[in-house]
Amino acid sequence: MHRVVSPERSARRRVLCAAVLVLAASCGVSQQQEVQLGTDAAAQVSAELPLIRDAAVVRYITAIGTQLAKVTDTRNLAWHFTVVDSKEVNAFALPGGWVYVNRGLIERATDMSELAGVLAHEIGHVTLRHSVQQMQQAQGANTGVSLLCTLTKVCESGVSQAAIGIGGSALFAKFSRADETEADAEGVSTTIKAGISPYGIPAMFKLLLAERTRNPGAVDAFFASHPLEETRITATEAKIATYPASQLQRLTKDTQAFQTFRRRLLALPPSPPPKKTP
Ligand SMILES: [Zn+2]
């Protein structure tokens, strides 16, 4: 079994969450509170997960993430894009503009538009404020740590999940199907506004569904927080079809910079195994 957070940190977080929830119930979460929630959770992510600090990797993920965020964010959030050094497929966002994508997802992507689609979808969860609602729901269930567990699979074994009392809490942390549909539609419009082909979104879904059949363990974390069925693929393709073909044809599907970035990741030392303590 492995411990995820110290009891002190966990207690502190519960106090913070309780405070935020009281405010949320009375007047909604302000942008400042949303950013604070995200900043807090991001500190936990960097303490719990191996993040890639390689300068070239950081530069590329920041550039493509920012290219997408700036065409859709109307609140002037400070965005942070980070690659997690994990071979599993996952991507997640925290309130306030923190977006994470696993190395395993990028290495499986075939072109830039697939990575851009995932980032645009996660950016959508932030701009549409699904992420802050998701976090409130998880915390409302008094499982402050559960959302992060679900998002990151940091709490891997069933034993440790039970020990920290998150049993069925994935239910609370999962985005609703309506949220997913909304983030997908937002992802389509964001990629197009950024000059990138939106076809990467259904292409990545197909890749994830195929991977689930072949190797379910590798995509668990993604599916735990993002319900994904065939219908999302058809809905996304239908949304794309509402744009004129002439416009879609002009959009970028791949770049040298993406392929260089992907090769760079493939050449890094293997990802560390998930953290375990005796
Ligand atoms: Zn999602």
Side-chain angles (χ1 to χ4, degrees):
M1 170 190 140
H2 52 287
R3 298 281 301 279
V4 172
V5 286
S6 68
E8 297 77 21
R9 286 176 63 192
S10 168
R12 261 204 319 273
R13 193 168 314 108
R14 270 197 292 275
V15 170
L16 170 75
C17 301
V20 169
L21 281 167
V22 168
L23 288 163
S26 55
C27 58
V29 176
S30 73
Q31 183 168 321
Q32 195 191 349
Q33 288 160 343
E34 180 186 345
V35 168
Q36 187 55 52
L37 262 182
T39 306
D40 223 51
Q44 197 188 345
V45 167
S46 63
E48 308 290 349
L49 291 185
L51 305 178
I52 296 187
R53 308 288 187 189
D54 177 83
V57 168
V58 170
R59 203 175 320 121
Y60 182 79
I61 199 73
T62 302
I64 186 170
T66 307
Q67 180 187 351
L68 291 157
K70 75 173 185 209
V71 298
T72 182
D73 174 25
T74 54
R75 295 189 290 151
N76 206 18
L77 294 167
W79 291 85
H80 309 265
F81 297 90
T82 308
V83 180
V84 179
D85 198 358
S86 166
K87 59 184 168 44
E88 286 165 353
V89 175
N90 197 17
F92 61 96
L94 300 174
W98 305 77
V99 177
Y100 299 84
V101 53
N102 279 11
R103 174 181 176 181
L105 184 149
I106 301 164
E107 289 177 355
R108 282 172 180 83
T110 50
D111 63 39
M112 181 273 285
S113 74
E114 294 176 358
L115 170 62
V118 168
L119 291 172
H121 175 98
E122 297 300 331
I123 290 167
H125 280 314
V126 174
T127 56
L128 299 164
R129 307 194 81 183
H130 299 156
S131 294
V132 68
Q133 288 157 14
Q134 183 196 34
M135 188 161 271
Q136 284 175 272
Q137 273 182 323
Q139 290 168 347
N142 194 24
T143 51
V145 77
S146 71
L147 175 64
L148 219 57
C149 290
T150 308
L151 290 176
T152 65
K153 239 183 133 214
V154 94
C155 332
E156 224 186 345
S157 76
V159 178
S160 68
Q161 294 199 352
I164 54 174
I166 69 157
S169 63
L171 289 173
F172 295 101
K174 206 169 197 163
F175 288 119
S176 68
R177 280 170 176 74
D179 283 356
E180 288 308 289
T181 306
E182 231 188 345
D184 289 344
E186 192 71 7
V188 169
S189 78
T190 299
T191 47
I192 292 173
K193 277 190 240 166
I196 297 171
S197 168
Y199 287 112
I201 301 174
M204 180 51 86
F205 290 162
K206 287 172 190 167
L207 211 138
L208 289 170
L209 288 171
E211 186 79 20
R212 183 163 63 172
T213 310
R214 246 193 337 266
N215 182 14
V219 290
D220 271 0
F222 187 88
F223 284 97
S225 56
H226 298 74
L228 171 58
E229 304 91 13
E230 295 286 346
T231 51
R232 279 181 62 196
I233 298 176
T234 43
T236 306
E237 285 170 342
K239 166 85 181 169
I240 296 171
T242 64
Y243 289 83
S246 57
Q247 184 185 4
L248 294 170
Q249 277 155 14
R250 285 196 303 270
L251 301 170
T252 309
K253 189 167 157 53
D254 200 12
T255 58
Q256 281 287 340
F258 171 79
Q259 293 300 339
T260 305
F261 165 69
R262 182 171 172 273
R263 275 196 303 275
R264 175 107 190 156
L265 285 176
L266 286 164
L268 290 177
S271 299
K275 219 174 5 175
K276 297 231 191 287
T277 55

